[in-house]
Amino acid sequence: MNQFSGNLTTDSRLSAIAETVESGQRGSLEDGLYLDQHADLLFLGNLANTIRERKNGNLAFYNTNIHLNPTNVCVYRCVFCAFRSDLKAEKAYTFDDQMIRGRVLEATEAGATEIHVVGGLHHQKPFDWYLDVVRVIRDANPLIHIKAWTAVEINWFSHITKKPVQWVLEQLIDAGLGSMPGGGAEIFDSEIRGQICEHKADSQSWIDIHRCAHQLGLRTNATMLYGHLEESRHRVDHLCQLRELQDETGGFQTFIPLAFHPENTGLEHLRLPSGLADLRVMALSRVMLDNFDHIKAYWIMLGEKTAQVALSFGADDLDGTVVHELIYHDAGAETPEGLTVDQLHRLIREAGREPRERDTLYRRVVRDGHEWSIEEPVAAGGQGVEI
Ligand code: V47
Ligand code: SF4
C-alpha cells in the first residue's frame, strides 16, 4: 500500500466509501474495516480533514486544566498500566485533603477552568473518601469544573457500596461532579479486554455507566486504547459501539484515541505505535464517529509534533495545559509535564488553525487578566445536547 497518494485512488470501493462519507452519510462497520486496511494515510487523512472542517471550521480547541491522580494504589492489575501501585509498595501514595486543596490552589492560580481527576481503586478507601475528593475540590474552588472518575471507578464504587450506578452518580453530582472523563474503555472486544484488563469493569458496564450518566444530564468523554494486542477489527468495532450509544443519548462530547506506551508495563516487549499509526487511528476515528462533535489529539501521549499534524488528520482539539500528568509519564512518555497557553497557541497557529480556549463543555472561555468567564452558546460544531 502506498502511504501517500492523497485523495486519488483507483480503488472503486474506496471511492464509493469516500463519496458516502463526504455526502454526510454514515460508513458501515465493513466500510470502516476496508478503509483501515486499504486506504493510504493521505486518503484517510483527507477524508477526516473534510469532516473536521465541516464540524469545526478552522478552530482548534484547548483548555486550561490541571490533573489530579489522588492515589496510585489500585486493586486491579491491568497489564498495560505503569501507574498503579500495590498498597505497600514504595511508590504507593495517597493524597490527603490538604494536598488536594494545594493542587486546587495551584489550579486556581494558573487560571485553570478544569480539574481532571482519575486514579487507582484503593483497597482500603470507602466510597466516602472518593466523594470527599470532589467535595474538597468544590469547597476550595466553587468555579472550577470537576471532570472526575472514569466508568471503571464508578463501577467500583457501585461494587463497594452495593448501590446502583445511578445512586453513585447522583451522590457525586450532589458533591460537585461536572462531567466524566473517557478512560477505562480500553478496547471493548471481550477477548482482548480479557488479556489486558481481565478483572475490571467489562465493556457492557462501561457503556451502561456512560448511558446512565448521560440520562442524568452529565456529559462524558470516550477513549480507545490502541497499539497493544488489538487488531483493526477490534478498533472498528469499538468505534461502532461508541457511535451507537451516541445515537441513543448524544451525551459524548469528545473522543480521544490513546496510544499505548509500553515502558514499565507488562507489555514492555511491544513497540510504541508509530506516528503514522497514530495519524491513521485519529483519521479513522473522525470518519467513523460521525455523531461526535470533537476528536482530541492528546498531546501528552502523541507528542507535540504528532498532535500538531493530527490537526490536519481529523482532530480539532489538543486537550490542555495538563499540569501533573502521571499515567503516561510513568509509562515512559517523554513529553513535558505541561504546556503553557502560549506554547499551545504556537502549536495550533503553526498548523494553520485558530486557537480557541474552551471549557470542559466546549463553551468559549473569555479572559480578562486573571479573571475568566464563559461565553454561551456552545462553540462551533458543538450542537449542545438535549437528553
Ligand atoms: O483508561 C493507562 C490509558 C487512560 C497506559 O476524558 C494508558 O478528556 C497508554 O482516559 N499507555 C486514562 N495508555 C487517561 C484518559 C484520558 C486522558 C486524557 C483525556 C481524557 C478525557 C481521558 O489511560 C486509561 C488507559 O486507557 N492508559 N496506561 C499506557 N501505559
Ligand atoms: Fe488500576 Fe486504572 Fe491502572 Fe487498571 S489502568 S491498574 S484500573 S490504575
Side-chain angles (χ1 to χ4, degrees):
M1 191 199 316
N2 170 14
Q3 287 290 353
F4 303 117
S5 69
N7 57 357
L8 300 173
T9 180
T10 50
D11 182 327
S12 57
R13 172 119 194 240
L14 279 182
S15 304
I17 297 172
E19 231 173 89
T20 304
V21 171
E22 278 170 356
S23 70
Q25 294 171 63
R26 173 170 287 184
S28 65
L29 181 139
E30 292 72 27
D31 290 340
L33 271 175
Y34 197 83
L35 272 178
D36 199 26
Q37 290 165 7
H38 298 275
D40 71 46
L41 176 65
L42 290 191
F43 184 91
L44 199 49
N46 229 26
L47 208 50
N49 197 43
T50 304
I51 302 166
R52 176 203 60 73
E53 193 163 31
R54 196 180 291 153
K55 286 184 180 280
N56 290 293
N58 205 36
L59 296 177
F61 298 94
Y62 70 93
N63 73 346
T64 310
N65 62 351
I66 205 161
H67 280 217
L68 167 65
N69 307 122
T71 181
N72 61 354
V73 175
C74 189
V75 290
Y76 294 132
R77 293 175 174 275
C78 303
V79 293
F80 56 79
C81 181
F83 164 73
R84 75 163 298 281
S85 169
D86 286 333
L87 191 58
K88 299 213 166 108
E90 207 178 309
K91 73 176 270 204
Y93 74 82
T94 302
F95 272 43
D96 60 22
D97 288 1
Q98 183 82 3
M99 292 157 92
I100 296 169
R101 273 190 219 101
R103 182 61 58 86
V104 179
L105 184 67
E106 187 186 339
T108 310
E109 279 170 359
T113 61
E114 170 190 287
I115 184 158
H116 174 140
V117 188
V118 289
L121 306 157
H122 195 296
H123 313 54
Q124 296 174 342
K125 297 293 180 196
F127 175 50
D128 255 356
W129 182 81
Y130 293 88
L131 206 50
D132 242 28
V133 171
V134 178
R135 288 198 189 109
V136 170
I137 297 170
R138 176 51 68 243
D139 188 50
N141 182 339
L143 287 183
I144 202 160
H145 181 103
I146 307 173
K147 181 177 81 178
W149 311 131
T150 67
V152 169
E153 283 152 325
I154 303 297
N155 177 265
W156 174 251
F157 304 155
S158 170
H159 171 73
I160 57 178
T161 57
K162 301 189 174 40
K163 299 276 193 189
V165 162
Q166 182 171 332
W167 179 89
V168 168
L169 287 171
E170 283 167 351
Q171 306 303 302
L172 289 165
I173 293 169
D174 275 356
L177 183 75
S179 67
M180 274 169 58
E186 321 314 358
I187 269 287
F188 289 150
D189 179 84
S190 55
E191 214 173 292
I192 303 293
R193 204 176 176 84
Q195 293 175 60
I196 61 170
C197 53
E198 189 185 356
H199 298 293
K200 76 180 185 189
D202 62 14
S203 52
Q204 193 55 53
S205 306
W206 191 97
I207 287 169
D208 289 344
I209 288 166
H210 281 261
R211 179 187 292 108
C212 183
H214 298 168
Q215 285 164 347
L216 292 174
L218 278 183
R219 302 299 301 265
T220 73
N221 294 341
T223 59
M224 174 175 76
L225 183 68
Y226 66 91
H228 43 92
L229 307 181
E230 94 292 353
E231 294 170 16
S232 173
R233 65 196 162 97
H234 304 121
R235 293 191 292 272
V236 177
D237 164 70
H238 189 97
L239 297 172
C240 288
Q241 291 202 48
L242 285 175
R243 77 181 180 185
E244 215 173 282
L245 180 58
Q246 180 74 330
D247 276 344
E248 198 185 315
T249 66
F252 287 120
Q253 320 194 85
T254 184
F255 173 74
I256 311 122
L258 297 170
F260 174 55
H261 280 237
E263 219 173 282
N264 306 320
T265 74
L267 295 170
E268 215 161 14
H269 59 286
L270 297 179
R271 291 224 314 255
L272 187 68
S274 67
L276 293 185
D278 290 335
L279 293 174
R280 287 190 73 83
V281 175
M282 192 67 65
L284 184 73
S285 307
R286 180 61 289 173
V287 171
M288 294 306 288
L289 296 176
D290 60 338
N291 52 4
F292 277 61
D293 288 337
H294 303 285
I295 304 287
K296 196 186 277 188
Y298 186 42
W299 65 263
I300 282 270
M301 113 351 216
L302 290 173
E304 294 112 290
K305 290 179 182 174
T306 306
Q308 194 177 36
V309 180
L311 294 176
S312 298
F313 283 78
D316 60 276
D317 190 330
L318 288 185
D319 198 279
T321 43
V322 194
V323 187
H324 295 300
E325 199 284 334
L326 289 181
I327 295 172
Y328 276 88
H329 287 93
D330 283 357
E334 285 168 6
T335 42
E337 260 213 45
L339 284 179
T340 63
V341 167
D342 282 349
Q343 287 170 316
L344 284 167
H345 278 204
R346 185 183 55 78
L347 286 179
I348 292 171
R349 289 218 169 91
E350 280 176 1
R353 307 265 171 268
E354 185 191 329
R356 166 70 57 89
E357 182 173 357
R358 59 160 178 90
D359 72 348
T360 313
L361 304 176
Y362 284 84
R363 296 170 303 183
R364 187 177 192 158
V365 174
V366 183
R367 292 198 178 260
D368 180 10
H370 198 64
E371 304 293 306
W372 56 268
S373 58
I374 303 296
E375 186 181 279
E376 303 275 357
V378 177
Q383 295 143 12
V385 66
E386 281 175 15
I387 297 171

